[in-house]
Coordinates of all heavy atoms in Angstrom, one line a residue:
M244 N -44.8 240.5 234.1 CA -46.0 240.6 233.2 C -47.3 240.6 234.1 O -48.1 241.4 233.9 CB -46.0 239.4 232.2 CG -47.2 239.4 231.3 SD -47.5 240.7 230.2 CE -46.2 240.4 229.1
L245 N -47.3 239.6 235.0 CA -48.6 239.5 235.8 C -48.7 240.7 236.7 O -49.9 241.1 236.9 CB -48.5 238.2 236.6 CG -48.6 236.9 235.8 CD1 -48.5 235.7 236.7 CD2 -49.9 236.9 235.0
A246 N -47.6 241.2 237.3 CA -47.7 242.4 238.1 C -48.2 243.6 237.3 O -49.1 244.4 237.8 CB -46.4 242.7 238.7
I247 N -47.8 243.8 236.1 CA -48.3 244.9 235.3 C -49.7 244.7 234.9 O -50.5 245.7 235.0 CB -47.4 245.0 234.0 CG1 -46.0 245.4 234.3 CG2 -48.1 245.9 232.9 CD1 -45.0 245.2 233.1
C248 N -50.2 243.5 234.6 CA -51.5 243.3 234.3 C -52.4 243.5 235.5 O -53.5 244.1 235.4 CB -51.8 241.8 233.8 SG -51.1 241.6 232.1
H249 N -52.0 243.1 236.7 CA -52.7 243.3 237.9 C -52.8 244.8 238.2 O -53.9 245.3 238.5 CB -52.0 242.6 239.1 CG -52.7 242.9 240.4 ND1 -53.9 242.3 240.7 CD2 -52.3 243.7 241.5 CE1 -54.2 242.7 241.9 NE2 -53.3 243.6 242.4
E250 N -51.7 245.6 238.0 CA -51.8 247.0 238.2 C -52.7 247.7 237.3 O -53.4 248.7 237.7 CB -50.3 247.5 238.0 CG -50.2 249.0 238.3 CD -48.8 249.5 238.2 OE1 -47.9 248.8 238.6 OE2 -48.6 250.6 237.6
L251 N -52.8 247.2 236.1 CA -53.6 247.9 235.1 C -55.1 247.3 235.0 O -55.9 247.8 234.2 CB -53.0 247.8 233.7 CG -51.6 248.5 233.5 CD1 -51.0 248.2 232.1 CD2 -51.8 250.0 233.7
G252 N -55.3 246.3 235.8 CA -56.6 245.7 235.8 C -56.9 244.9 234.5 O -58.1 244.7 234.1
V253 N -55.9 244.3 233.9 CA -56.0 243.6 232.7 C -56.1 242.0 233.1 O -55.2 241.6 233.8 CB -54.8 243.8 231.7 CG1 -54.9 242.9 230.6 CG2 -54.8 245.3 231.3
G254 N -57.1 241.4 232.6 CA -57.2 239.9 232.9 C -56.1 239.1 232.1 O -55.7 239.5 231.1
V255 N -55.7 237.9 232.7 CA -54.8 237.1 232.0 C -55.4 235.7 231.8 O -56.0 235.1 232.7 CB -53.5 236.9 232.9 CG1 -52.5 236.0 232.3 CG2 -52.9 238.3 233.2
V256 N -55.4 235.3 230.5 CA -55.9 234.0 230.2 C -54.7 233.1 229.9 O -54.0 233.3 228.9 CB -56.8 234.1 228.9 CG1 -57.3 232.7 228.5 CG2 -58.0 235.1 229.2
P257 N -54.5 232.1 230.7 CA -53.3 231.2 230.4 C -53.6 230.3 229.2 O -54.7 229.7 229.1 CB -53.2 230.3 231.7 CG -54.5 230.4 232.3 CD -55.2 231.7 231.9
H258 N -52.6 230.1 228.4 CA -52.7 229.2 227.2 C -51.7 228.1 227.4 O -50.5 228.4 227.4 CB -52.4 230.1 225.9 CG -52.5 229.2 224.7 ND1 -51.4 228.6 224.1 CD2 -53.5 228.9 223.9 CE1 -51.8 228.0 223.0 NE2 -53.0 228.2 222.9
G259 N -52.2 226.9 227.5 CA -51.2 225.8 227.8 C -51.4 224.6 227.0 O -50.5 224.2 226.2
G260 N -52.5 224.0 227.1 CA -52.7 222.6 226.5 C -52.8 222.6 225.0 O -52.4 221.6 224.4
N261 N -53.4 223.6 224.4 CA -53.5 223.7 223.0 C -54.4 222.6 222.4 O -54.2 222.2 221.2 CB -52.2 223.8 222.3 CG -52.2 224.6 221.0 OD1 -53.0 225.5 220.9 ND2 -51.3 224.3 220.1
T262 N -55.2 222.1 223.2 CA -56.1 221.0 222.7 C -57.5 221.6 222.1 O -58.1 220.8 221.4 CB -56.4 220.0 223.7 OG1 -57.1 220.6 224.8 CG2 -55.2 219.3 224.3
S263 N -57.8 222.7 222.6 CA -59.1 223.3 222.2 C -60.2 222.4 222.8 O -61.4 222.5 222.4 CB -59.3 223.5 220.7 OG -58.4 224.4 220.2
Y264 N -59.9 221.6 223.8 CA -60.9 220.7 224.4 C -62.0 221.4 225.1 O -63.1 221.0 225.0 CB -60.1 219.8 225.4 CG -60.9 218.7 226.1 CD1 -61.4 217.7 225.3 CD2 -61.2 218.8 227.4 CE1 -62.2 216.7 225.8 CE2 -62.0 217.7 228.0 CZ -62.4 216.7 227.2 OH -63.2 215.8 227.8
C265 N -61.7 222.5 225.8 CA -62.8 223.2 226.5 C -62.8 224.7 226.2 O -63.6 225.5 226.8 CB -62.7 223.0 228.0 SG -61.1 223.7 228.7
G266 N -61.9 225.2 225.3 CA -61.9 226.6 225.0 C -61.5 227.5 226.1 O -61.8 228.7 226.1
G267 N -60.7 227.0 227.1 CA -60.3 227.7 228.2 C -59.3 228.9 227.9 O -59.1 229.7 228.7
A268 N -58.6 228.8 226.8 CA -57.6 229.8 226.5 C -58.2 230.9 225.5 O -57.5 231.6 224.8 CB -56.4 229.2 225.8
T269 N -59.5 231.1 225.6 CA -60.1 232.0 224.7 C -60.4 233.3 225.5 O -61.2 233.2 226.5 CB -61.5 231.5 224.2 OG1 -61.2 230.2 223.5 CG2 -62.1 232.5 223.2
P270 N -59.8 234.4 225.2 CA -60.1 235.6 225.9 C -61.5 236.2 225.6 O -62.1 235.9 224.6 CB -59.0 236.6 225.4 CG -58.7 236.1 224.0 CD -58.9 234.6 224.1
H271 N -61.9 237.0 226.6 CA -63.3 237.6 226.4 C -63.3 238.5 225.2 O -62.3 239.2 224.8 CB -63.6 238.4 227.7 CG -65.1 238.7 227.7 ND1 -65.6 239.9 227.2 CD2 -66.1 238.1 228.3 CE1 -66.9 240.0 227.3 NE2 -67.2 238.9 228.0
E272 N -64.4 238.5 224.5 CA -64.5 239.3 223.3 C -64.4 240.8 223.5 O -64.2 241.6 222.5 CB -65.8 239.0 222.5 CG -67.0 239.4 223.4 CD -68.3 238.9 222.7 OE1 -68.3 237.9 222.0 OE2 -69.4 239.5 223.0
N273 N -64.5 241.3 224.7 CA -64.4 242.8 224.9 C -63.0 243.3 224.9 O -62.8 244.5 224.9 CB -65.2 243.2 226.2 CG -64.5 242.7 227.5 OD1 -63.3 242.2 227.4 ND2 -65.2 242.8 228.6
G274 N -62.0 242.4 224.8 CA -60.6 242.8 224.6 C -59.9 243.3 225.9 O -58.8 243.9 225.8
D275 N -60.4 243.0 227.1 CA -59.7 243.5 228.3 C -58.9 242.4 228.9 O -58.5 242.5 230.1 CB -60.8 244.0 229.3 CG -61.7 242.9 229.8 OD1 -61.7 241.8 229.3 OD2 -62.4 243.2 230.8
E276 N -58.5 241.4 228.2 CA -57.6 240.3 228.7 C -56.5 240.1 227.7 O -56.6 240.3 226.5 CB -58.4 239.0 228.8 CG -59.6 239.1 229.8 CD -60.4 237.9 229.8 OE1 -60.6 237.3 228.7 OE2 -61.0 237.6 230.8
I277 N -55.4 239.5 228.2 CA -54.3 239.1 227.3 C -54.2 237.5 227.5 O -54.7 236.9 228.4 CB -52.9 239.7 227.6 CG1 -52.5 239.2 229.0 CG2 -53.0 241.2 227.6 CD1 -51.0 239.4 229.3
V278 N -53.6 236.9 226.4 CA -53.4 235.5 226.4 C -51.9 235.3 226.8 O -51.0 235.8 226.0 CB -53.7 234.8 225.1 CG1 -53.4 233.3 225.1 CG2 -55.2 235.0 224.8
L279 N -51.6 234.5 227.8 CA -50.3 234.3 228.2 C -49.9 232.8 227.9 O -50.5 231.9 228.5 CB -50.1 234.6 229.7 CG -48.7 234.4 230.3 CD1 -47.7 235.4 229.7 CD2 -48.8 234.5 231.8
S280 N -49.0 232.6 227.0 CA -48.5 231.3 226.7 C -47.7 230.7 227.9 O -46.8 231.3 228.4 CB -47.6 231.3 225.4 OG -47.1 230.0 225.2
L281 N -48.0 229.4 228.2 CA -47.2 228.7 229.2 C -46.2 227.8 228.6 O -45.6 227.0 229.3 CB -48.2 227.9 230.1 CG -49.3 228.7 230.7 CD1 -50.2 227.8 231.5 CD2 -48.7 229.8 231.6
R282 N -46.0 227.8 227.3 CA -45.1 227.0 226.5 C -43.7 226.9 227.1 O -43.1 225.9 227.1 CB -45.0 227.5 225.1 CG -44.1 226.6 224.2 CD -44.3 227.1 222.8 NE -45.6 226.8 222.4 CZ -45.9 226.1 221.3 NH1 -45.0 225.5 220.6 NH2 -47.2 225.8 221.0
R283 N -43.1 228.0 227.6 CA -41.8 228.0 228.2 C -41.7 227.4 229.6 O -40.6 227.2 230.1 CB -41.2 229.4 228.1 CG -41.0 229.8 226.7 CD -40.5 231.3 226.5 NE -39.4 231.5 227.4 CZ -38.9 232.8 227.6 NH1 -39.5 233.8 227.0 NH2 -37.9 233.0 228.4
M284 N -42.8 227.2 230.2 CA -42.8 226.5 231.5 C -42.9 225.0 231.2 O -44.0 224.4 231.3 CB -44.1 226.9 232.3 CG -44.1 228.4 232.7 SD -45.5 228.9 233.6 CE -45.4 227.8 235.1
N285 N -41.8 224.4 230.8 CA -41.8 223.1 230.2 C -40.9 222.1 230.9 O -40.4 221.2 230.2 CB -41.4 223.2 228.7 CG -40.0 223.9 228.5 OD1 -39.3 224.1 229.5 ND2 -39.7 224.2 227.3
R286 N -40.7 222.2 232.1 CA -39.8 221.3 232.8 C -40.6 220.2 233.7 O -41.6 220.5 234.3 CB -38.9 222.0 233.7 CG -37.8 222.8 233.0 CD -36.9 223.5 233.9 NE -37.7 224.6 234.5 CZ -37.3 225.4 235.5 NH1 -36.1 225.1 236.1 NH2 -38.0 226.3 236.1
V287 N -40.0 219.0 233.7 CA -40.4 218.0 234.7 C -39.6 218.4 236.0 O -38.4 218.2 236.0 CB -40.1 216.6 234.2 CG1 -40.4 215.6 235.3 CG2 -40.8 216.3 232.9
R288 N -40.3 218.8 237.0 CA -39.7 219.3 238.2 C -39.3 218.1 239.1 O -38.3 218.2 239.8 CB -40.6 220.2 238.9 CG -40.9 221.5 238.2 CD -40.3 222.6 238.9 NE -40.5 223.8 238.2 CZ -39.9 224.9 238.6 NH1 -39.1 224.9 239.7 NH2 -40.1 226.1 238.0
E289 N -40.1 217.2 239.2 CA -39.9 216.1 240.3 C -40.7 214.8 239.9 O -41.8 214.9 239.4 CB -40.4 216.6 241.6 CG -40.2 215.8 242.8 CD -40.6 216.4 244.1 OE1 -41.0 217.6 244.1 OE2 -40.6 215.7 245.1
V290 N -40.0 213.7 240.0 CA -40.7 212.4 239.8 C -40.5 211.6 241.1 O -39.4 211.5 241.6 CB -40.1 211.7 238.6 CG1 -40.7 210.3 238.5 CG2 -40.2 212.4 237.4
E291 N -41.5 211.2 241.7 CA -41.5 210.4 243.0 C -42.1 209.0 242.7 O -43.2 208.8 243.0 CB -42.2 211.1 244.1 CG -41.6 212.4 244.6 CD -42.2 213.0 245.8 OE1 -42.8 212.2 246.6 OE2 -42.2 214.2 245.9
P292 N -41.3 208.1 242.2 CA -41.8 206.8 241.9 C -42.5 206.1 243.1 O -43.5 205.3 242.9 CB -40.6 206.0 241.4 CG -39.5 206.9 241.4 CD -39.9 208.2 242.0
D293 N -41.9 206.2 244.3 CA -42.5 205.6 245.5 C -43.8 206.1 245.8 O -44.7 205.3 246.4 CB -41.5 205.7 246.7 CG -40.2 205.0 246.5 OD1 -40.1 204.0 245.7 OD2 -39.2 205.4 247.2
N294 N -44.1 207.3 245.5 CA -45.4 207.9 245.8 C -46.3 207.9 244.5 O -47.4 208.4 244.6 CB -45.3 209.3 246.3 CG -44.6 209.5 247.6 OD1 -44.8 208.5 248.4 ND2 -43.8 210.4 247.8
F295 N -45.8 207.4 243.4 CA -46.5 207.4 242.1 C -47.0 208.8 241.8 O -48.2 209.0 241.4 CB -47.7 206.4 242.2 CG -47.4 205.0 242.3 CD1 -47.1 204.4 243.5 CD2 -47.2 204.2 241.2 CE1 -46.7 203.1 243.6 CE2 -46.8 202.9 241.3 CZ -46.6 202.3 242.5
S296 N -46.1 209.7 241.9 CA -46.5 211.1 241.6 C -45.3 211.8 240.9 O -44.2 211.4 241.0 CB -46.9 211.8 242.9 OG -45.7 212.0 243.8
M297 N -45.7 212.9 240.3 CA -44.7 213.8 239.6 C -45.2 215.2 239.6 O -46.4 215.5 239.6 CB -44.3 213.3 238.2 CG -45.5 213.1 237.3 SD -45.2 212.1 235.8 CE -43.5 212.4 235.3
V298 N -44.3 216.2 239.5 CA -44.6 217.5 239.4 C -44.0 218.0 238.1 O -42.8 217.9 237.8 CB -44.0 218.4 240.6 CG1 -44.3 219.8 240.4 CG2 -44.6 217.9 241.9
V299 N -44.9 218.6 237.2 CA -44.5 219.1 235.9 C -45.1 220.5 235.7 O -46.1 220.8 236.3 CB -44.9 218.2 234.7 CG1 -44.3 216.8 235.0 CG2 -46.3 218.1 234.6
E300 N -44.4 221.3 234.9 CA -44.9 222.6 234.7 C -45.9 222.5 233.5 O -46.0 221.6 232.8 CB -43.7 223.5 234.2 CG -42.7 223.7 235.3 CD -41.5 224.6 234.9 OE1 -41.3 224.8 233.7 OE2 -40.8 225.0 235.8
A301 N -46.8 223.5 233.5 CA -47.9 223.5 232.6 C -47.6 223.4 231.1 O -48.4 222.9 230.4 CB -48.8 224.7 232.9
G302 N -46.5 223.8 230.7 CA -46.1 223.8 229.3 C -45.3 222.6 228.8 O -44.9 222.4 227.7
C303 N -45.1 221.6 229.7 CA -44.4 220.4 229.4 C -45.2 219.6 228.4 O -46.4 219.3 228.7 CB -44.1 219.7 230.7 SG -42.9 218.3 230.6
L304 N -44.6 219.1 227.4 CA -45.3 218.2 226.5 C -45.6 216.9 227.2 O -44.8 216.3 228.0 CB -44.4 217.8 225.3 CG -44.2 219.0 224.3 CD1 -43.2 218.6 223.2 CD2 -45.5 219.4 223.7
L305 N -46.8 216.4 226.9 CA -47.2 215.1 227.5 C -46.3 214.0 227.2 O -46.0 213.1 228.0 CB -48.7 214.8 227.1 CG -49.3 213.6 227.7 CD1 -49.3 213.7 229.3 CD2 -50.8 213.4 227.3
A306 N -45.7 214.0 226.0 CA -44.7 213.0 225.7 C -43.5 213.0 226.5 O -43.0 212.0 226.9 CB -44.3 213.1 224.2
E307 N -43.1 214.2 227.0 CA -42.0 214.4 227.9 C -42.4 213.9 229.3 O -41.5 213.3 230.0 CB -41.5 215.8 228.0 CG -41.0 216.3 226.6 CD -40.9 217.8 226.6 OE1 -41.4 218.5 227.4 OE2 -40.2 218.3 225.7
V308 N -43.6 214.1 229.7 CA -44.1 213.6 231.0 C -44.1 212.1 231.0 O -43.6 211.4 231.9 CB -45.6 214.1 231.3 CG1 -46.1 213.5 232.5 CG2 -45.5 215.6 231.4
Q309 N -44.6 211.5 229.9 CA -44.6 210.1 229.8 C -43.1 209.5 229.8 O -42.9 208.5 230.4 CB -45.3 209.6 228.5 CG -46.8 209.9 228.6 CD -47.5 209.6 227.3 OE1 -47.0 210.0 226.2 NE2 -48.7 209.0 227.4
A310 N -42.2 210.2 229.1 CA -40.8 209.7 229.1 C -40.2 209.8 230.5 O -39.5 208.8 230.9 CB -40.0 210.5 228.1
A311 N -40.5 210.8 231.3 CA -40.0 210.9 232.7 C -40.6 209.8 233.5 O -39.9 209.2 234.3 CB -40.3 212.3 233.2
A312 N -41.9 209.5 233.3 CA -42.5 208.4 234.1 C -41.9 207.1 233.8 O -41.5 206.3 234.6 CB -44.0 208.4 233.9
E313 N -41.6 206.9 232.4 CA -41.0 205.6 232.0 C -39.6 205.4 232.5 O -39.2 204.4 232.9 CB -41.0 205.5 230.5 CG -40.5 204.2 229.9 CD -40.6 204.1 228.4 OE1 -41.4 204.9 227.8 OE2 -39.9 203.3 227.9
A314 N -38.8 206.5 232.6 CA -37.5 206.5 233.2 C -37.5 206.1 234.6 O -36.5 205.6 235.1 CB -36.8 207.9 233.0
A315 N -38.6 206.4 235.3 CA -38.7 206.0 236.7 C -39.5 204.7 236.9 O -40.0 204.3 238.0 CB -39.5 207.1 237.5
D316 N -39.6 203.9 235.8 CA -40.3 202.7 235.7 C -41.8 202.8 236.1 O -42.3 202.0 236.9 CB -39.6 201.7 236.7 CG -40.0 200.2 236.4 OD1 -40.4 199.9 235.2 OD2 -40.0 199.4 237.3
R317 N -42.4 203.9 235.6 CA -43.8 204.1 235.8 C -44.5 204.4 234.5 O -43.8 204.6 233.5 CB -44.0 205.3 236.8 CG -43.5 205.1 238.2 CD -44.3 204.0 238.9 NE -43.9 203.8 240.3 CZ -43.1 202.9 240.7 NH1 -42.6 202.0 239.8 NH2 -42.8 202.7 241.9
L318 N -45.8 204.4 234.4 CA -46.5 204.6 233.3 C -47.5 205.8 233.5 O -48.1 205.9 234.5 CB -47.4 203.5 232.9 CG -48.5 203.6 231.8 CD1 -47.7 203.9 230.4 CD2 -49.4 202.5 231.7
F319 N -47.4 206.8 232.6 CA -48.4 207.9 232.6 C -49.2 207.8 231.4 O -48.8 208.1 230.3 CB -47.6 209.3 232.6 CG -48.5 210.4 233.0 CD1 -48.5 210.9 234.4 CD2 -49.3 211.0 232.1 CE1 -49.3 211.9 234.7 CE2 -50.1 212.1 232.4 CZ -50.1 212.6 233.7
P320 N -50.4 207.3 231.5 CA -51.3 207.1 230.3 C -51.7 208.4 229.7 O -51.8 209.4 230.3 CB -52.4 206.3 230.9 CG -52.5 206.7 232.4 CD -51.1 207.0 232.8
S321 N -52.0 208.3 228.4 CA -52.5 209.4 227.6 C -53.9 209.3 227.3 O -54.4 208.3 226.7 CB -51.7 209.5 226.3 OG -52.3 210.5 225.5
P322 N -54.7 210.3 227.7 CA -56.2 210.2 227.3 C -56.4 210.7 225.9 O -57.5 210.7 225.4 CB -56.8 211.2 228.3 CG -55.8 212.1 228.6 CD -54.4 211.4 228.5
W323 N -55.4 211.1 225.2 CA -55.4 211.6 223.8 C -54.7 210.7 222.9 O -53.7 210.0 223.3 CB -54.9 213.0 223.6 CG -55.7 214.0 224.5 CD1 -57.0 214.5 224.1 CD2 -55.4 214.6 225.8 NE1 -57.4 215.4 225.1 CE2 -56.5 215.4 226.1 CE3 -54.4 214.4 226.7 CZ2 -56.5 216.1 227.3 CZ3 -54.4 215.1 227.8 CH2 -55.5 215.9 228.1
G324 N -54.9 210.7 221.6 CA -54.3 209.9 220.6 C -52.9 210.4 220.2 O -52.1 209.6 219.8
R325 N -52.7 211.7 220.3 CA -51.4 212.3 219.9 C -50.6 212.9 221.0 O -50.7 214.1 221.2 CB -51.6 213.3 218.8 CG -52.3 212.7 217.6 CD -52.5 213.8 216.5 NE -52.5 215.1 217.2 CZ -53.0 216.2 216.6 NH1 -53.7 216.1 215.5 NH2 -52.9 217.3 217.2
P326 N -50.0 212.2 221.9 CA -49.5 212.8 223.1 C -48.4 213.8 222.8 O -48.2 214.7 223.7 CB -48.9 211.6 223.9 CG -48.7 210.5 222.9 CD -49.8 210.8 221.9
A327 N -47.6 213.7 221.8 CA -46.6 214.6 221.5 C -47.1 216.0 221.3 O -46.4 217.1 221.5 CB -45.7 214.2 220.3
A328 N -48.4 216.2 220.9 CA -48.9 217.4 220.5 C -49.7 218.1 221.7 O -50.1 219.2 221.6 CB -50.0 217.3 219.4
V329 N -49.8 217.5 222.8 CA -50.5 217.9 224.0 C -49.6 218.4 225.1 O -48.6 217.7 225.4 CB -51.5 216.8 224.5 CG1 -52.2 217.3 225.7 CG2 -52.4 216.4 223.4
R330 N -49.9 219.6 225.6 CA -49.1 220.1 226.7 C -49.8 219.7 228.0 O -51.0 219.5 228.1 CB -48.9 221.6 226.6 CG -48.1 221.9 225.3 CD -47.5 223.3 225.4 NE -46.7 223.5 224.2 CZ -45.4 223.1 224.0 NH1 -44.8 222.6 225.1 NH2 -44.8 223.3 222.9
S331 N -49.0 219.6 229.1 CA -49.5 219.1 230.3 C -50.6 220.0 230.9 O -51.4 219.5 231.8 CB -48.4 218.8 231.4 OG -47.7 220.1 231.6
A332 N -50.7 221.2 230.6 CA -51.7 222.1 231.1 C -53.1 221.6 230.7 O -54.1 222.0 231.3 CB -51.6 223.5 230.6
A333 N -53.2 220.8 229.6 CA -54.5 220.3 229.2 C -55.0 219.2 230.1 O -56.2 218.8 230.0 CB -54.3 219.7 227.8
I334 N -54.2 218.7 231.0 CA -54.6 217.6 231.9 C -55.4 218.3 233.0 O -54.8 219.0 233.8 CB -53.5 216.8 232.5 CG1 -52.7 216.2 231.3 CG2 -54.0 215.7 233.4 CD1 -51.4 215.6 231.7
S335 N -56.7 218.1 233.0 CA -57.5 218.8 233.9 C -57.8 218.1 235.3 O -58.5 218.7 236.1 CB -58.9 219.1 233.3 OG -59.5 217.9 233.0
R336 N -57.2 217.0 235.5 CA -57.4 216.3 236.8 C -56.1 215.7 237.2 O -55.2 215.4 236.4 CB -58.4 215.2 236.6 CG -58.0 214.1 235.7 CD -59.1 213.1 235.4 NE -58.7 211.9 234.7 CZ -58.3 211.9 233.4 NH1 -58.2 213.0 232.7 NH2 -57.8 210.8 232.8
P337 N -55.9 215.6 238.5 CA -54.7 214.9 239.0 C -54.7 213.5 238.5 O -55.6 212.7 238.7 CB -54.8 215.0 240.5 CG -55.9 215.9 240.8 CD -56.7 216.0 239.5
T338 N -53.6 213.0 237.9 CA -53.5 211.7 237.4 C -52.2 211.1 237.9 O -51.1 211.5 237.4 CB -53.5 211.6 235.9 OG1 -54.7 212.3 235.4 CG2 -53.5 210.2 235.3
P339 N -52.2 210.2 238.9 CA -50.9 209.7 239.4 C -50.2 208.8 238.3 O -50.9 208.1 237.5 CB -51.3 208.9 240.6 CG -52.8 208.5 240.3 CD -53.3 209.6 239.5
A340 N -48.9 208.9 238.3 CA -48.2 207.9 237.4 C -48.3 206.5 238.0 O -48.1 206.3 239.1 CB -46.7 208.3 237.4
A341 N -48.8 205.7 237.2 CA -49.2 204.3 237.6 C -47.9 203.4 237.7 O -46.9 203.6 237.0 CB -50.1 203.6 236.7

């Protein structure tokens, strides 16, 4: 998909967090971009409790990130009230698992 868009000069707007927090998944009104859902990129790739870090894909639900941290005896706090509804792409800053 990305190679085709690149070849055709079509912009790609990633859609991940679904929070509408900053409007980042809004394509330009001139119609020369597509919106690409990151929902299927939903795996917790790595949890490193000794380093207080984890690697997750952009479509992973925040509740799943928190469960993975808890399984490693760590806490991943939620800045939102409904963590099950938020995908990890909405996290705009690196936040180590405490």
Side-chain angles (χ1 to χ4, degrees):
M244 176 67 71
L245 293 178
I247 292 169
C248 288
H249 177 72
E250 183 178 319
L251 298 174
V253 175
V255 177
V256 178
H258 179 267
N261 209 28
T262 62
S263 298
Y264 184 65
C265 64
T269 305
H271 193 273
E272 62 187 26
N273 67 11
D275 66 350
E276 300 171 326
I277 66 163
V278 177
L279 181 65
S280 173
L281 303 178
R282 181 174 294 239
R283 290 175 52 191
M284 296 178 64
N285 58 8
R286 291 181 287 169
V287 175
R288 295 246 179 187
E289 185 177 352
V290 178
E291 294 187 27
D293 293 339
N294 292 326
F295 292 87
S296 65
M297 56 193 331
V298 176
V299 301
E300 295 177 350
C303 193
L304 288 173
L305 186 54
E307 295 165 346
V308 173
Q309 291 175 316
E313 186 176 340
D316 198 28
R317 296 292 182 261
L318 171 68
F319 194 96
S321 173
W323 297 280
R325 299 179 339 201
V329 177
R330 297 200 177 272
S331 58
I334 301 170
S335 61
R336 66 189 188 290
T338 306

